[in-house]
Amino acid sequence: MANERITEDVVRTHFKEDPLFSSIKFEEQKSTNIRVMDALATASKALTGKGGKPEFIITFPQQSMDYLIVVECKADVSKHESKNRDCPKDYAVDGALHYSKHLAKEFNVISIAVSGTEDNLCVTQFIQHKNSDNIVEIKNKHLLSIYNYAQTFRNEQFSYNLKDVNIVEKAIKLNEDFQSVSISEVMRNTLVSGILLALQDDIFKGSYSIADTSKTIADMLIQALDRVLKKAKVRRADDMMNVYKGIYNEPLVQQKTLKQKKKDILSVEFFKETIRFLETQVYPLLKYEESGYDILGKFYTEFIRYAASKQKQGLVLTPSHVTDLFCDLAQIKVDDVVYDCCCGTGGFLIAAMKRMFLLAGSDEDRKNNIRMNQLLGMELRPEMFTFACSNMMLRGDGKSNLDCGSCFDDQKVDRIKKLKPTVGFLNPPYDQGVADQLKFIEKSLEVVAPQKGRVVAIVQMSCGIKDEKEANAIRERLLKKYTLKAVISMPDDLFYPVGVVTCVMVFDAVPPTIPNYKTWFGYLKDDGFVKRKNKGRIDAFDRWNKIKRKFIEAYNNNDEVLGLSVKQCVQNSPKDKSFKEWCAEAYMQTDYSTLTKKDFEDTIKRYAVFQKVGLIQEDSKDEETE
């Protein structure tokens, strides 16, 4: 006899086994969300005007309050759908649509009707946008992943945030686990990237669980990595293998038992649990290649987040919405060849690959050419080079023209020049000072200049304003040989928790074509992102896309917009004031029309606190309460 509980259990299991399950709120029949309960207050399927109780309600409280999934179940497929879809009490489709109409007053809704059992499951699903009567059927007849449902809402930043928050949570968990057994900070990301790559090897995937010692697992891991790298024909594979072999020096491999606060654990069991966690909770997310997600960069950022080291101060990995913004600023085309002279974990190259794939559409030959010939990277640090190659390999390729070495090595630069890059993206190390950051920009411009290309760099704001002899000399050379197209002031907490104030510089690798050329100065101090405890900065209120559209429109049209942008001729003379003021703040007028009474009150309160205690603990406040 058909049993609706069995159908419900199929749905429940499907969602609970999804690697993004921890990023949603999964509730049954009622919700703790007041807006949901208000919308369902008169939604009884019996049409009595009483409250409605769907089988399952899925919300996304960490990412957005405007998206919701509702599920209705029936035991027998004969009760899947009525002829006119007007019997919500007796049929799954009718019930799902009934609830969707009520919930769409407050939410963008995906409604799912499920009937039958696992062997003969019948699924019909719809999407209805907020305040719309239009309900569109989703063609797919199977239960989808949480990520795919998020994509169905057609808000790329929302689906990205869903994955981003999930990865951050998993990185935090792994970081705490590694810390508890004294795995070194520098080895944590190496271990994660090595395991994710090794999981591409069927032998390793099928055998690690039966190993009897952690040394055996390490041997299996290294052998698997060797096979994967040889199959992929990676440049400088030996350098990567040397980084991965550092795993042998860790307590995880050296010791039989690992000490923890609560109780000791066998190292072989800890190793297996770590691999199993990555296999089930992270590896499945890699199939979402089109998201342009720098997964190893996100892990690395979390692993060094609280490290009191020079490494943390010098290395700040660029947030993904900024790497995507670079593609807009450079006006990336499908045939561009993109070069990053200090590529870190490969975030810029991943963003460029994603954008060019989008432009390539369904042309697989062009996409393959992008992977093989249009992504160029150089990275000095062997471990970061390893992460960049791994990141690309986890996306199917793209590592063909990555190299380990210095972008100031003439021999290596000559090889890059032969590949004729047209675009340079970079985020140089900040611990080397202003002049050295400018040298990275100058070197990138030198490489793209034969193609009359363009360079976009994010550097410390001091690179544009510091009065320093060596920096002045480099700025003078840059202004003489190239065109300073734009300088954009970025949010002060962009690289939170690392405190660094930055700007984006955009150059065309040709001299200015008109006398007294005016540089476009943009003010992007508010990108819509807010800080969230244990999640970093996220676009919680879905503001970034709107902000970016307005900003890029002004940039592309070279418009001056009050409070947003201004144009100014930058003179190529250290004696001129503009030579030392490459920042929007020096030239912009304040747009007082946007100020409110609340802005005034908040400023007075902050000033009062400052007067009393001498310091405003802004970061901790924002992270907890925003």
Side-chain angles (χ1 to χ4, degrees), residues 446-466:
E446 176 190 319
V447 171
V448 304
Q451 291 71 245
K452 298 181 179 179
R454 54 262 192 227
V455 167
V456 187
I458 184 164
V459 293
Q460 286 178 291
M461 179 61 80
S462 51
C463 290
I465 60 177
K466 191 169 185 179

Side-chain angles (χ1 to χ4, degrees), residues 100-154:
S100 179
K101 291 171 184 176
H102 282 267
L103 291 163
K105 297 172 185 176
E106 287 287 333
F107 302 92
N108 297 290
V109 182
I110 289 176
S111 52
I112 307 172
V114 184
S115 62
T117 61
E118 197 164 9
D119 295 332
N120 69 334
L121 203 66
C122 188
V123 179
T124 307
Q125 35 210 354
F126 308 86
I127 183 167
Q128 182 176 5
H129 289 286
K130 185 177 179 180
N131 294 323
S132 171
D133 294 328
N134 187 34
I135 301 177
V136 178
E137 185 170 345
I138 300 169
K139 293 181 180 179
N140 202 302
K141 299 295 184 181
H142 303 280
L143 288 172
L144 306 177
S145 69
I146 293 170
Y147 185 78
N148 283 338
Y149 281 123
Q151 284 190 309
T152 304
F153 288 117
R154 297 195 177 280

Side-chain angles (χ1 to χ4, degrees), residues 33 71 78-79 106 113 124 139 164 167 216 250 273 280 288 322 344 395 447 475 477 513 566 583:
N33 186 312
V71 185
S78 65
K79 293 292 184 180
E106 287 287 333
T124 307
K139 293 181 180 179
D164 188 56
I167 288 294
T216 302
E250 292 297 310
E273 287 177 13
T280 59
Y288 307 133
V322 176
R395 283 160 179 77
V447 171
R475 283 200 291 264
R477 292 199 301 267
T513 55
V566 65
C583 64

Side-chain angles (χ1 to χ4, degrees), residues 90-91 121 147 157 178 204 240 308 312 341 343 372 407 449:
D90 299 322
Y91 293 88
L121 203 66
Y147 185 78
Q157 192 61 46
F178 291 160
F204 176 78
M240 293 182 68
K312 173 184 171 181
C341 66
C343 67
M372 299 298 293
C407 65

Side-chain angles (χ1 to χ4, degrees), residues 62 157 160-161 164-165 168 298 301-302 305 318-322 490-498 524-541 543-544 547 619 622-623 626:
Q62 296 176 334
Q157 192 61 46
Y160 182 92
N161 284 345
D164 188 56
V165 169
V168 169
K298 187 59 70 173
T301 300
E302 188 56 45
R305 184 175 182 184
T318 314
S320 58
H321 71 294
V322 176
M490 301 302 285
D492 292 345
D493 57 359
L494 183 68
F495 291 103
Y496 174 82
V498 177
L524 192 54
K525 284 293 185 180
D526 179 14
D527 59 0
F529 281 61
V530 294
K531 296 188 284 289
R532 285 286 185 265
K533 188 173 183 180
N534 294 333
K535 298 176 183 65
R537 296 180 80 243
I538 65 171
D539 185 20
F541 302 107
R543 294 179 58 214
W544 167 241
I547 290 171
D619 282 354
D622 289 347
E623 193 174 14
E626 274 191 316

Side-chain angles (χ1 to χ4, degrees), residues 355-419:
R355 181 63 61 90
M356 288 190 286
F357 277 4
L358 183 66
L359 295 172
S362 58
D363 189 337
E364 292 303 322
D365 289 339
R366 188 176 284 275
K367 287 183 179 179
N368 190 54
N369 191 64
I370 291 168
R371 291 188 184 97
M372 299 298 293
N373 302 311
Q374 294 176 231
L375 302 166
L376 318 177
M378 189 77 68
E379 175 53 50
L380 179 63
R381 294 155 294 190
E383 73 281 2
M384 297 303 290
F385 167 73
T386 299
F387 302 153
C389 284
S390 302
N391 241 347
M392 289 301 193
M393 289 175 65
L394 291 170
R395 283 160 179 77
D397 205 346
K399 70 355 175 157
S400 300
N401 287 299
L402 301 185
D403 203 352
C404 186
S406 170
C407 65
F408 298 100
D409 181 328
D410 290 338
Q411 187 175 352
K412 291 187 179 295
V413 171
D414 287 342
R415 188 187 74 82
I416 293 293
K417 284 183 176 179
K418 289 177 183 177
L419 299 171

Side-chain angles (χ1 to χ4, degrees), residues 220-265:
M220 289 177 171
L221 181 67
I222 295 301
Q223 291 163 14
L225 289 169
D226 187 54
R227 289 191 293 270
V228 170
L229 295 181
K230 283 180 178 177
K231 183 178 179 181
K233 298 179 182 179
V234 176
R235 181 186 301 274
R236 308 293 292 271
D238 289 344
D239 289 335
M240 293 182 68
M241 288 304 298
N242 287 335
V243 170
Y244 285 128
K245 286 177 182 177
I247 292 168
Y248 282 119
N249 300 322
E250 292 297 310
L252 177 63
V253 178
Q254 293 282 327
Q255 298 171 192
K256 184 177 180 180
T257 304
L258 300 171
K259 294 186 178 298
Q260 291 181 311
K261 284 185 178 180
K262 293 183 178 179
K263 65 175 182 178
D264 294 349
I265 184 172

